[in-house]
């Protein structure tokens, strides 16, 4: 009788196939990320000469990905979220086919933006099945937060009216690569939680915690410096969510090492000292991050002056009363055409009919993406959006119930998306192509949270 077990046989063909699937998924996600950051660095990608070539790359990559998925070379898992996404893409086509849009060319442009966001969403959902890719993406977001935040501070003090020190802007005070400060703040909202999550991870070396804490501090200081009210609220919300999440993790850690109910004794004799030491190690990154943020805020607040920063807050953008009037007009537009709306990307052509005030300014957007969505897509578009949000919340809730599979990175994605969605209630950040792609990439990562991770 053979006392030794037979060696485990590994099929080299199957291994090569698995490696090929992983590489294909990483390439697809890498192209989507490259397109997003290209538009972010190109002034947000608001000009057609920037977003049309990038969109073409996304369309071609998605077409190739569909072919590879049919051949079994990509890990595609279809669900109801993709069905609703296809329904939303069909709405502008239905508006064009039924001639319900007031401006067909504008609706066609809006369809291109929607299609690009859907492509980035799908490609990110494929790449997110690989744990290594998700970690690399979050490392890249954290690094981008520090780089963009540091460059914004550098640009603000040395050449405040020049983007990248080259392009002169006179209408607004540009921040980073964006002409509008609110767009820059929205970009940092998506990147900031990644740097914060890395800085707050337990059992990390002090140098690494300080490095990621500095990246988070630079992003935080740049948002304070640009005096964006929506950005400040979003960053504050993210800090509050992270504080609650961190307290929950510490409480869960202490509970797991509490005395056993049947014996009243600890699992090990040395558990009290180990618990205290690990708790101190876990809280160390948070302390270093707070010190880095406080130091940078003090330095740049002293350089710019407290009164200068505070004076910019009430004069940023339009007034709250004007936003409410725009929301009222958008609501009336949707009620007048409740089924399919006025047509995608046509708000600025319809608004003059429903305008309730005239302050001399020309408004191209509703300054609320959700109210503009209602006015342009009607009840059908709003129901599709609500159903998709309900499915997202269901997936996140199922993941939260499995605490062993929900980590800091997942919470960082959710915190960034939550702040971005809140910011969109008072701004038109979804109409910036670079921000749209960044948001859809993070959203694509979220739908894979319920899948088990392969370490």
């Amino acid at each position: 009788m053979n006392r030794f077990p037979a060696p485990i046989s590994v099929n080299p063909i199957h291994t090569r196939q698995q490696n090929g699937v992983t590489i294909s998924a990483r390439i697809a996600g890498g192209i989507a990320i490259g397109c997003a950051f290209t538009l972010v660095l190109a002034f947000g990608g608001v000009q057609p000469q920037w977003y049309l070539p990038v969109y073409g790359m996304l369309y071609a990559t998605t077409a190739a990905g569909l072919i590879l998925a049919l051949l079994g070379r990509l890990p595609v898992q279809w669900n109801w979220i993709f069905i609703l996404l296809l329904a939303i893409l069909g709405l502008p086509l239905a508006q064009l086919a039924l001639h319900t849009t007031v401006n067909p060319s504008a609706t066609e442009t809006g369809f291109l933006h929607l299609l690009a966001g859907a492509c980035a969403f799908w490609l990110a959902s494929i790449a997110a099945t690989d744990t290594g890719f998700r970690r690399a993406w979050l490392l890249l977001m954290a690094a981008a937060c520090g780089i963009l935040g540091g460059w914004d501070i550098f640009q603000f003090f040395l050449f405040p009216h020049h983007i990248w020190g080259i392009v002169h802007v006179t209408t607004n005070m540009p921040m980073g690569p964006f002409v509008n400060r609110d767009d820059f703040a929205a970009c940092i909202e998506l990147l900031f939680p990644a740097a914060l999550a890395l800085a707050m991870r337990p059992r990390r070396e002090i140098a690494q915690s300080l490095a990621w804490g500095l990246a988070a501090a630079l992003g935080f200081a740049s948002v304070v410096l640009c005096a964006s009210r929506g950005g400040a609220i979003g960053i504050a919300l993210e800090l509050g969510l992270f504080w609650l999440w961190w307290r929950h993790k510490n409480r869960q850690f202490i509970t797991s090492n509490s005395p056993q109910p049947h014996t009243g004794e600890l699992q090990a004799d040395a558990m009290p000292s180990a618990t205290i030491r690990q708790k101190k190690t876990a809280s160390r990154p948070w302390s270093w991050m707070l010190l880095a943020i406080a130091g940078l805020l003090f330095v740049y607040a002293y350089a710019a002056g407290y009164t200068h920063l505070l004076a910019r807050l009430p004069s940023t953008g339009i007034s709250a009363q004007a936003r409410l009037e725009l929301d009222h007009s958008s609501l009336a537009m949707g009620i007048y055409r409740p089924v399919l709306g006025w047509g995608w990307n046509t708000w600025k052509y319809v608004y003059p009919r429903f305008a309730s005030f005239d302050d001399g300014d020309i408004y191209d957007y509703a300054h609320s993406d959700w109210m503009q969505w209602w006015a342009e897509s009607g009840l059908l578009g709003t129901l599709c959006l609500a159903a998709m949000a309900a499915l997202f919340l269901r997936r996140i809730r199922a993941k939260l119930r499995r605490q062993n599979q929900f980590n800091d990175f997942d919470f960082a994605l959710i915190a960034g998306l939550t702040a971005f969605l809140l910011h969109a209630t008072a701004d038109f950040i979804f109409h910036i192509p670079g921000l749209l792609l960044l948001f859809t990439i993070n959203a694509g990562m979220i739908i894979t949270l319920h899948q088990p991770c392969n370490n």
Side-chain angles (χ1 to χ4, degrees):
M1 179 178 177
N2 188 7
R3 297 169 54 188
F4 299 98
I8 300 175
S9 61
V10 178
N11 189 347
I13 298 179
H14 178 72
T15 303
R16 286 196 297 268
Q17 290 177 351
Q18 289 295 105
N19 292 336
V21 170
T22 301
I23 293 174
S24 299
R26 290 181 177 181
I27 291 175
I31 292 176
I33 291 174
C35 292
F37 276 112
T38 298
L39 292 183
V40 167
L41 297 179
F43 322 112
V46 294
Q47 298 297 329
Q49 61 265 27
W50 287 107
Y51 69 74
L52 285 179
V54 172
Y55 284 0
M57 176 66 71
L58 278 176
Y59 301 153
T61 305
T62 303
L66 290 173
I67 296 175
L68 292 176
L70 295 176
L71 297 177
R73 297 294 302 275
L74 281 179
V76 179
Q77 297 177 354
W78 302 102
N79 51 61
W80 282 104
I81 293 180
F82 292 112
I83 302 300
L84 290 173
L85 188 61
L86 292 176
I88 292 176
L89 288 176
L91 286 176
L93 298 179
Q95 293 170 344
L96 291 171
L98 298 176
H99 303 286
T100 60
T101 175
V102 297
N103 193 319
S105 61
T107 301
E108 292 171 357
T109 303
F111 173 75
L112 293 179
H113 292 299
L114 281 177
L115 183 59
C119 291
F121 179 88
W122 185 70
L123 294 174
S125 67
I126 293 174
T129 57
D130 180 63
T131 306
F133 182 86
R134 293 181 61 206
R135 176 170 175 78
W137 167 231
L138 284 162
L139 289 172
L140 180 60
M141 284 200 300
C145 176
I147 293 173
L148 288 178
W151 174 258
D152 173 67
I153 297 172
F154 180 79
Q155 175 179 287
F156 178 83
F157 287 108
L158 292 186
F159 30 83
H161 288 282
H162 293 78
I163 299 179
W164 302 122
I166 301 174
V167 181
H168 183 66
V169 179
T170 57
T171 56
N172 295 309
M173 173 68 73
M175 288 291 169
F178 295 91
V179 176
N180 189 284
R181 66 187 67 170
D182 294 313
D183 299 339
F184 173 79
C187 180
I188 297 297
E189 287 172 4
L190 292 173
L191 304 176
F192 175 72
L196 196 60
L198 291 174
M200 292 174 59
R201 292 198 69 194
R203 296 182 298 276
R204 180 171 288 276
E205 296 294 335
I206 295 179
Q208 296 179 1
S209 299
L210 181 59
W212 293 119
L214 287 174
L218 285 171
F220 183 87
S222 65
V223 172
V224 174
L225 195 62
C226 73
S228 171
R229 292 170 291 189
I233 294 174
I235 294 294
L237 174 64
E238 291 171 348
L239 288 173
L241 291 175
F242 263 109
W243 175 252
L244 295 176
W245 168 247
W246 194 248
R247 290 191 61 184
H248 170 73
K249 287 188 61 178
N250 287 340
R251 197 181 309 118
Q252 185 182 12
F253 174 78
I254 295 173
T255 303
S256 63
N257 293 280
S258 60
Q260 298 299 313
H262 62 283
T263 62
E265 298 179 357
L266 293 175
Q267 297 177 359
D269 295 338
M271 186 58 68
S273 60
T275 302
I276 295 174
R277 184 166 59 253
Q278 191 165 359
K279 187 176 180 181
K280 288 182 178 180
T281 305
S283 60
R284 185 185 302 158
W286 173 254
S287 301
W288 279 106
M289 187 273 301
L290 284 180
L291 289 175
I293 290 179
L296 284 175
L297 286 180
F298 174 79
V299 170
Y300 292 112
Y302 176 80
Y306 286 105
T307 57
H308 175 67
L309 292 176
L310 295 177
R312 292 175 59 195
L313 285 174
S315 62
T316 301
I318 63 176
S319 63
Q321 182 62 31
R323 294 179 188 272
L324 292 177
E325 293 293 338
L326 292 175
D327 291 342
H328 183 269
S329 299
S330 301
L331 180 64
M333 291 164 60
I335 293 175
Y336 193 87
R337 282 193 178 183
V339 181
L340 283 175
W342 291 87
W344 229 271
N345 201 32
T346 60
W347 186 90
K348 64 180 179 180
Y349 303 105
V350 184
Y351 168 71
R353 309 182 194 178
F354 296 87
S356 58
F357 73 103
D358 184 11
D359 58 356
D361 294 331
I362 298 176
Y363 294 97
D364 293 335
Y365 303 98
H367 286 269
S368 174
D369 281 327
W370 309 125
M371 297 304 298
Q372 185 163 342
W373 182 284
W374 155 255
E376 293 180 349
S377 64
L379 188 60
L380 290 180
T382 303
L383 290 177
C384 289
L385 187 64
M388 181 176 288
L391 287 179
F392 268 97
L393 291 176
R394 182 180 178 184
R395 295 293 176 87
I396 295 172
R397 183 181 179 184
K399 185 69 178 182
L400 284 171
R401 290 179 177 178
R402 299 192 291 269
Q403 294 290 342
N404 59 335
Q405 296 183 12
F406 193 88
N407 53 37
D408 298 335
F409 290 156
D410 301 329
F411 190 83
L413 290 175
I414 295 174
L417 294 177
T418 303
F420 193 89
L421 292 173
L422 177 64
H423 193 168
T425 59
D427 220 325
F428 51 91
I429 50 181
F430 275 106
H431 289 80
I432 309 301
L435 300 180
L436 173 65
L437 294 187
L438 277 181
F439 176 87
T440 52
I441 287 173
N442 282 358
M445 300 282 181
I446 292 297
I447 68 169
T448 61
L449 293 180
H450 68 290
Q451 301 296 338
C453 295
N454 297 322
N455 294 326

